[in-house]
């Protein structure tokens, strides 16, 4: 148990209001597009209308003549500086500006720089590009057909196949399947979607020719990593690069990769010697940056007659688009997809994934998920429901029978992960009780008799968050630790800087609460600063719910170093030995004489005014935390839906979400995270798809086609929690930000399929639109 501090101190567990919100609700946030520098000019991309075409010529003459146009950069110009291609985050390379061919619609072809953004956009229209259309490959299932067009001329291997990756014991799994009396199969697509953050991607590149310093204001979830990549790829000395990520309006993985617009803005600023701003439009964001998912999956489960699962076999085709730009640790070609055994105790398992190129935008980003875990959780939770239906067992009962039991932790999965702690039945029982499961099943039975369609869907997911540990996890070779630096000022106030970067998660509040918990300095006296590579300690950034497990841990460890030093100073002030001192939030006191004490504020003052001989002045510490393992949060979600037979519309009547992220820093912020993630899950389940026609034209490239849920579509979320601390995290916390996005899609889909199961429906692919449901109802003869 974590000792509770007073509300004035505001340590862990206090639902204190978010410090950052006072500036956001007053419109005083400072986003990249708010940055206005003297002499700043603007960049605009010329993009390809074709998905696959040879680039025959680019004529920039007319565009250059437009008054206000300063420069036009093409792939050929970049090639001279060896920058026409850049490395992706996953052992591939990607065109910055097209050279030779374009490989997806909206690919970057030229970069126009002008005095204002409207002139830049107008001039982009005047750039004349001649294309010769080539056959287009859209369907990943056809990527390796003998007659498929080969997309990547630049690669030695003349194939659209990128990788084959497998893990687990194939022979043992196959054997289990041969002998199994019960088997179930599900083919499920985790469709191509996009995080669509409120703020699109952008940057201001400011190269100062006098100091040779490049400052890049960047919508970056990983400022330090981006600085290093700019140095390595651009050849600029790293000390001369400062990446500044100001406020960010949502990242969700979209702001992890380096995009061509960033590189072009930097090149333009280096060339022109003035600041260059590039901010993408909404359509550019949806069409060309970081898509997510696009996993085409098959799961088979072998079980005995009593419904005890034995083996899981998974085969997946991953559509990576034109370049393999998946943003994930280098040892994991399919991310952490092998967490696909989920919360269940399988003896054997085998999982294989093949990646292919198609004429679509690259990305493969971890959209609010720890590198492909949403796909994995969706698949296993769907497969479990399909098997339960096959056995005519209640899906809650079936899950209970197959959960990994609490006494089995730490639990090694057949695919190699070691789960730190868990109590899946505890979370499910709580969710069942909150939703009133038995009554709902009765109601469903009654409704079925009357021909009404009502469904209940369960998802008992396991997440894996907090990459590192550094021995296994690196991105582009940089090990995945993270950091915190705390400085306590003479008056007992403090500033802390981290290697992570909030994009709306409330870090300015929660990290301050960790310091308050550990040192007793009130959270309101602690300033948190992230996103400036000139001042913050090096870190890998914020994505995959890693901030609490890594920088959160580093904050506690740095605070503990400070407390050790504070003890030395307290002993000096109280004229006793350190061994005689005891700590109580915010002060050291002499054992047995509590009135003889020194507060952390008094100690801080002494650290600068009355230092014991031989001790360094000051009170500060830095910690680079390399977690020994991931943390494995989990949850049980239950969704209740009613389906309108006339329109096929699915109404989410109830949604209960019980989450377990170990010890909670700020329950109000956690609840906010859950609400946001569930709303995204709802959108993915029912509304969102980045689709392509047979010519590779993007069908979901505007917010008219790519729907964002509003308050009208969003149901009331009922949240609850259980607490199973992580045994290896310094204060027993696990990450939580992405859990709702990971766990909820399966609950929504399971509910819809449950509503239609008596009609023989076993699966419907997302997004489950009214049209799709209506077609099923028509096919089943429910409507004429
Ligand atoms: O890396 P990211 O910030 O996206 O994810 P996270 O570590 O799961 O944290 C999301 C937000 O929830 C942060 O403000 C955390 O401090 C907070 N949180 C919490 O209050 N208690 C936890 N056990 C986990 C996260």
């Amino acid at each position: 148990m974590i000792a509770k501090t007073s509300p004035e101190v505001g340590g862990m567990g206090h639902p204190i209001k978010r410090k950052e919100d006072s500036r956001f609700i007053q419109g005083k946030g400072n986003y990249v597009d708010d940055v206005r520098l003297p002499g700043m000019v603007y960049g605009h991309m010329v993009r390809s209308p074709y998905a696959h075409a040879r680039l025959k010529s680019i004529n920039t003459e007319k565009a250059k003549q437009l008054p206000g146009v300063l420069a036009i950069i093409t792939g050929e110009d970049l090639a001279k500086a060896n920058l026409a291609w850049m490395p992706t985050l996953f052992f591939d390379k990607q065109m910055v500006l097209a050279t030779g061919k374009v490989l997806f619609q909206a690919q970057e072809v030229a970069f126009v720089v002008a005095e204002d953004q409207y002139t830049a956009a107008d001039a982009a229209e005047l750039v004349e590009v001649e294309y010769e259309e080539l056959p287009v490959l859209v369907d990943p299932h056809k990527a390796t057909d003998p007659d498929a067009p080969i997309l990547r001329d630049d690669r030695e291997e003349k194939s659209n196949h990128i990788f084959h990756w497998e893990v687990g014991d194939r022979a043992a799994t196959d054997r289990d399947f041969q002998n199994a009396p019960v088997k179930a199969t599900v083919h499920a697509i985790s469709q191509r979607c996009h995080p669509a953050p409120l703020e699109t991607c952008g940057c201001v590149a400011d190269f100062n020719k006098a100091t040779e310093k490049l400052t890049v204001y960047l919508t970056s979830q990983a400022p330090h990593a981006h600085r290093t990549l700019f140095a390595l790829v651009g050849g600029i000395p790293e000390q001369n690069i400062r990446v500044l990520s100001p406020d960010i309006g949502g990242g969700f993985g979209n702001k992890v990769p380096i995009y061509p617009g960033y590189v072009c803005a930097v090149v333009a600023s280096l060339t022109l010697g003035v600041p260059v701003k590039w901010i993408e439009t909404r359509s550019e964001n949806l069409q060309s940056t970081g898509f997510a998912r696009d996993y085409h999956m098959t799961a088979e489960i072998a079980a005995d007659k009593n419904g005890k699962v034995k083996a899981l076999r998974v085969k997946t085709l991953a559509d990576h688009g034109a370049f393999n730009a998946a943003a994930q640790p280098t040892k994991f070609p399919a991310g952490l997809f092998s967490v696909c055994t989920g919360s269940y105790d399988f003896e054997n398992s085998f999982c294989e994934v093949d990646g292919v190129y198609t004429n679509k935008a690259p990305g493969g980003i971890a959209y609010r998920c720890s590198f492909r875990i949403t796909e994995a959780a969706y698949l296993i939770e769907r497969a479990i429901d399909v098997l339960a239906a096959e056995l005519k067992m209640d899906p809650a009962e079936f899950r209970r029978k197959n959960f990994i039991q609490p006494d089995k932790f730490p639990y090694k999965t057949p695919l190699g992960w070691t789960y730190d702690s868990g109590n899946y039945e505890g979370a499910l029982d709580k969710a069942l009780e909150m939703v009133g499961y038995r009554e709902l099943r009765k109601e469903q039975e009654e409704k079925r008799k009357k021909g009404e369609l009502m469904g209940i869907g369960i998802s008992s997911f396991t997440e894996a968050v907090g990459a590192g540990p550094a021995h296994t996890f690196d991105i582009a070779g940089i090990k995945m630790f993270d950091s915190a630096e705390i400085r306590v000022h003479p008056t007992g106030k403090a500033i802390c800087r981290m290697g992570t970067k909030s994009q709306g998660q409330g870090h300015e509040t929660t990290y301050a609460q960790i310091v308050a918990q550990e040192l007793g300095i009130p959270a309101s006296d602690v300033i948190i600063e992230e996103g400036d590579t000139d001042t913050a300690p090096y870190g890998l950034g914020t994505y995959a719910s890693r901030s609490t497990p890594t920088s959160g841990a580093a904050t506690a460890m740095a605070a503990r170093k400070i407390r050790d030093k504070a003890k030395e100073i307290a002993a000096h002030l109280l004229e006793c030995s350190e061994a005689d001192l005891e700590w109580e939030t915010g002060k050291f006191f002499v054992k047995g004489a509590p009135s003889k004490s020194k507060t952390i504020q008094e100690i801080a003052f002494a650290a600068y005014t009355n230092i014991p001989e031989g001790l360094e002045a000051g009170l500060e510490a830095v910690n680079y935390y390399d977690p020994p393992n991931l943390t494995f949060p989990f949850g049980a979600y239950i969704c209740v839906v009613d389906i309108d037979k006339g329109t096929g519309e699915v109404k989410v009547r109830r949604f209960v979400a019980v989450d377990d992220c170990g010890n909670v820093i700020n329950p109000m912020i956690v609840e906010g995270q859950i609400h946001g993630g569930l709303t995204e899950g709802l959108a993915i389940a029912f509304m969102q798809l980045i689709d392509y026609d047979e010519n590779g034209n993007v069908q979901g490239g505007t917010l008219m086609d790519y729907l964002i849920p509003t308050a009208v579509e969003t149901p009331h979320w009922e949240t609850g929690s259980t607490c199973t601390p992580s045994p290896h995290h310094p204060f027993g916390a696990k990450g939580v930000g992405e859990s709702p996005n990971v766990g909820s899609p399966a609950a929504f889909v399971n509910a819809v399929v449950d509503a239609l199961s008596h009609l023989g429906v076993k699966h419907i692919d997302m997004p489950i639109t009214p049209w799709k449901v209506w077609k099923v109802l028509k096919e089943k003869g429910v409507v004429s």
Side-chain angles (χ1 to χ4, degrees), residues 165-168 186 295 297-301 309 311-316 334-346 348-353 370-384 404 411 413-417 419 460-464 632 742:
W165 176 76
E166 55 183 55
V167 61
V186 66
Y295 261 35
M297 313 174 287
T298 300
E300 298 165 276
I301 301 184
V309 299
L312 172 74
R313 196 159 56 190
V314 170
K315 193 167 170 54
T316 287
L336 308 194
F337 186 64
S338 55
V339 182
C340 57
T341 51
S343 311
Y344 309 99
D345 199 1
F346 287 98
N348 289 303
S349 183
F350 178 71
C351 168
E352 59 186 322
V353 181
S370 211
F371 321 113
R372 305 294 185 179
I373 285 186
T374 311
E375 292 88 326
Y378 175 61
L379 184 65
I380 184 67
E381 289 303 313
R382 273 277 49 238
I384 286 286
I404 300 159
Y411 172 88
T413 76
L415 296 181
W417 300 99
Y419 293 177
S460 283
F461 65 95
T462 293
E463 252 268 66
F632 293 82
V742 168

Side-chain angles (χ1 to χ4, degrees), residues 12-13 18 20 221 368 465 500-511 513-514 530 541-550 552 633 660-671 673 729 731-739:
M12 281 182 58
R18 297 184 357 146
E20 43 272 80
Q221 294 180 231
R368 205 169 186 159
V465 302
T500 49
K501 172 66 200 148
S502 185
Q503 308 118 47
Q505 293 93 327
H507 289 181
E508 288 171 45
T509 310
T510 46
Y511 283 136
Q513 288 184 263
I514 299 170
E530 295 176 300
T542 290
Y543 38 86
S545 287
R546 65 187 297 279
S547 302
T548 304
T550 57
D660 192 323
C661 58
N663 288 324
V664 168
I665 305 164
N666 184 322
M668 188 188 64
I669 287 184
V670 167
E671 186 165 359
Q673 293 285 306
H729 186 274
F731 51 88
K734 301 178 177 186
V736 75
E738 58 195 32
S739 288

